[in-house]
Amino acid sequence: MIGVSLRSLLSHKLRLALTTIAVILGVSFVAGTFILTDTINSTFMSIFATANAGVAVTVHGHPIAGTSGGIGGGANHPVPTSLLTTVRAVPGVKDAVGNIFREGATLIGHNGKPIGGNGPPTFGANWITDSDISPYHLRSGTPPEGPNDVVVDAGTAAKNGLVVGGSLPIVFLGGVEEHFTITGIAGYGSSDNLAGATIALFTEATAERVLDGQNKYDSILVSAQSGVTDVVLRERIAMALPSYAEAETGQQAAAAAEQSTESTISTFIGTPLLVFAFISLFVGSFLIINTFNILVAQRTRELALLRALGATRAQVMTSVLVEAAVTGFVASMLGFGVGILIARALLSVFGSTATTGITLLPRTFIVAVLVGTIVTVIAATLPARRATRIAPVAALSESLPETQDLPRRRIALGLVIFVLGCAALVAGLFTSNSVTLQLIGGGFLGVFLGVSLLAPLLVVPVATVIGWPVRRLRGAAGLLAGENARRNPRRTALTAAALMIGLALVTCVAVLTDSVRVSTNNAIEGTLRADFIVFTQGPDFDTQAAGALAKDPKLTDVTEVRVTPVLIRGSSESISAIDPSELGSVLTLSMVSGDASAIGTTNTAIVDSTEAGAAGVHMGQLVTFNFPQGATVRVRIGGIYTANALVSGYIVSIATMQPQVPTARDDVVLANAAPGVSSGQAEAALQHDVHAFPLLMAMSRSQYRTFVGAGLDSFLNLITTLLAFAIIIAVLGIANTLALSVLERTREIGVLRALGMTRSQTRSMVRWESVIISLLGAVLGLAVGLGLGVVVAGSLHDLGITNVAVPGGNLILYALAAGVFGVLAAIIPTIRAARVDILRAIATE
Amino acid sequence: MAETTTAGVSTTASDSRPIAARTTDAVKEYGKGDAMVRALDGITVAFGKGQFSAIMGPSGSGKSTLLHCIAGLDRLTSGSVHIGDIELGSLNDRQLTMLRRERVGFIFQSFNLVPTLSALDNIVLPLTIAGRKPDPAALAEVVRITGLGDRLKHRPNQLSGGQQQRVAAARALASQPEIIFADEPTGNLDSSASTDLLDFLRHAVSALGQTILMVTHDPLAAAHADRVVFLADGRVVSEMLGPTADTVLDVMRHLGD
Ligand SMILES: Nc1ncnc2c1ncn2[C@@H]1O[C@H](COP(=O)(O)OP(=O)(O)OP(=O)(O)O)[C@@H](O)[C@H]1O
Ligand SMILES: [Mg+2]
């Protein structure tokens, strides 16, 4: 029996080719994701290992609450420089050096733009003179010696044409630009830089000055005398340390950094990519089911003959499943290979310089092959079960009855799954609990499965409606296209459903982004009173900028907004501070209770209604703010404002925040045009004022709106690109179904050709069938996507998504695209249909 | 009384009526070298307008091949075929398609009908393909004589084999082609359904002046024709006017196989 199924596999290899492609695409996505993240992880691993090679022990302050995780690990409190003496005095210490390493030194490239842009972070650090300990290895030039010397990492230097002796403007945290001379180029550990991040190295004195490091080190790096192990030395140092500091061995530090990096990468890259890989496989499984269904249908007589000759049901089932397993296995192997290529391509896009090769773990291979094979076999189970139901008598009957009525059981099952999906979705979206994400994911899955099961019911009505103009425009070809699309509703439905999934997800995300866009626009219109908004591409900026604007006679109401993290009831929240006297002239907050001016009283805050609801905070209540700098302040709630997409969280006066966070800088500065000054003049003045601060962006309200919109557009584009795999698979599915249908209808096409149908009419017939299937997918996809999008956007009301918007233009675009997909999918099937040899087709078997 | 001419020499339509289709020295070879089969070995034959002609002969004698070549479904290796005044060898694929569409009707042995279309839609299909509107009167007549009446809205799989063949015949008639080709149209039918179909074809010739060329194995079927042409080994070996089942059977026995 297995021999029979393998032989049949070989004879159908062409028909299976597209199934194989579906599996290959899905598996390659999975494998590519693993390889990508493994490679990035191992890059970091080797960086951390080599960078820490000479470090026996690292000393630093306790972790700053709420900053755990991230690449390289969370931030620690700094330690005073005086601690260096303490550490140096510990017996067994060979040398100890202070290490300053912080974000906030932005290099300005030859084009006047910040290097790195929105990419990897940029760090400033002190040059460490002890070359045993230092992770920095000079490649050319000399270490920094003077106050205006800088050494840059080799990766950044190569990418941006920085050379020894060149001059380099650098903008520091406050947004102030200073000019430096490049004295050297250095590598980090054994690589060019820290996985793409930019590093600028200064003398210790300069680093302390420009990086806010006065008398503080981020850590102290210690080397051991020979004969003293790291572990022993760590223990000795730990004994000597005051309570605010802790010590770990170089290996521990590297391991901790690695672990944190790994989980960060898996959260931000691995998991999202795997979600999209799963979607591709899910869509691919539709294609697999359809292919095997059609193959089983076409082999009905053969299978019936086998049954008549004494094959058991189990043997028939096994024969189909073995075929699936072999197909899945071969395709998975190929998919693994393609995954390697994808990972390579992505790595070069991510611009990872340090990579010498890619990391292939056995796990990747095993998971890829298992997933591909199992998905294929599971998808083939339904067709295999159908194959077992073929009666031996079917071998003898002349024409095969096509059973097309959807069994009630299936309708009921579809309805149940659909309703359960909706319920899970609503539960996930509108209640908060530990399985929210699982509920939402399961909800989407349920909705898609349910609609797919019910879709055959929609085929006839929808195909009739879509088919009508086709019939009018394309005569016989159009008529037959419509009839062909309807003749096997389950096959058409399953084919269209695969496209539905991709389109529904794109539509859902489009609705979401448009809702965010409209809500933000409304918030900008309704909440932002200021004519101008100034913000930075860096973390925050010096109050000097606001000072400069305040001096400009063409501007008025220049208002600083400062943001700082605080711990409130154990969770890290960002609180904003603003000048109460200016609040009313730059922002309009709609108040649920109390008044915005309440923040004029020291230690009084207003909070948005969502946060208040979630935290159970009410008017007049006292809330404890734990500032990371150490102070604890009890703040009274003086007002609650309606949540919106622009302003959220706790707001206090600058006077309340200032004493706790004296170094706080500005996050946003708002301003109005001075009375009598046209907005054009005011804007020109503003742009002129911020020119001295290269990282600052100054915009009018409408420019800001466009800016926010552009960000949303690129988000939508990113998601659409990631869903392209799923959509490509669905389009392949249409091509596959059509190709198999054409094969099945060879005789019919021969008769039509004999009756005078031209080749181009034949092509047209197949092409329009394809378009009808795609449009059916589009109708389902847009409808389901709209539903999902509206529900999901509706659930985000509390996050300030107050408007649910439907992007009509996008939807029309998607429907048109689906039509084009139909035409593309039909290319090969139309060629095959037009090539049908009339004589061979009508010759009786 | 049946007239029979004997073998070998070229045969033409036996009376002076205009010619609907003819072949001259038609040769069709399949394959190459040792595997080469000469399915038609120099056939010169003509079929008159308004005549019901049958082609008979042993299996493998080239009947289907001849029919396909005359109908423009296949090309000769050498020689020529004319339908009316048109020489088919000079036509390209598209022109052949147009010729089939405009001038030719077909009835195959089975699977004639498009399963997704109703009987009526199948009948008018060639017209639909050509983008023509059926002539209502002619259509009504064709439909009437099929005797399908109330079953016109049914799909092919809801019709019996005999009914399906009558729909196929009605389809061939509906476009009022110059000539209808039928390859063993009764091959899958029992004797009563066969008789129905043959009476229908006979009526189309006698009452409507249709030209029909039919390949058959069945002497009873051939007896419905005006004239029978006998093939053996790719050649015309005999022909007969006004055939009856008995005379046809005689010749067939004589041809042996
Ligand atoms: N496509 C082909 N390739 C090779 N040989 C062919 C092909 N078609 C027909 N032949 C051969 O040509 C000869 C004539 O075949 P044809 O089908 O015309 O016979 P027929 O008289 O219709 O027979 P039957 O009564 O069995 O239908 C046969 O020997 C057949 O094997
Ligand atoms: Mg034949």
Side-chain angles (χ1 to χ4, degrees), chain B residues 30-31 37-39 57-66 183-184 215 217:
Chain B
Y30 289 111
V37 179
R38 200 164 239 243
S59 186
S61 57
K63 304 181 296 292
S64 296
T65 306
L66 179 62
D183 194 349
E184 301 187 39
V215 167
H217 272 124

Side-chain angles (χ1 to χ4, degrees), chain A residues 47-48 50-55 97-102 123-140 142-144 151-154 184-194 197-204 207 211 218-219 221:
Chain A
I47 288 174
F48 295 139
T50 50
N52 279 292
V55 178
V97 295
N99 178 37
I100 301 172
F101 190 89
R102 295 181 180 185
F123 295 102
N126 62 326
W127 178 260
I128 294 169
T129 40
D130 184 333
S131 61
D132 287 344
I133 297 179
S134 175
Y136 316 115
H137 300 283
L138 209 55
R139 300 265 177 96
S140 63
T142 56
V151 167
V152 292
D153 70 86
I185 310 279
Y188 186 89
S190 57
S191 34
D192 286 351
N193 62 13
L194 181 57
T198 296
I199 307 174
L201 296 154
F202 310 96
T203 62
E204 191 172 315
L211 298 170
D218 291 301
S219 61
L221 308 177

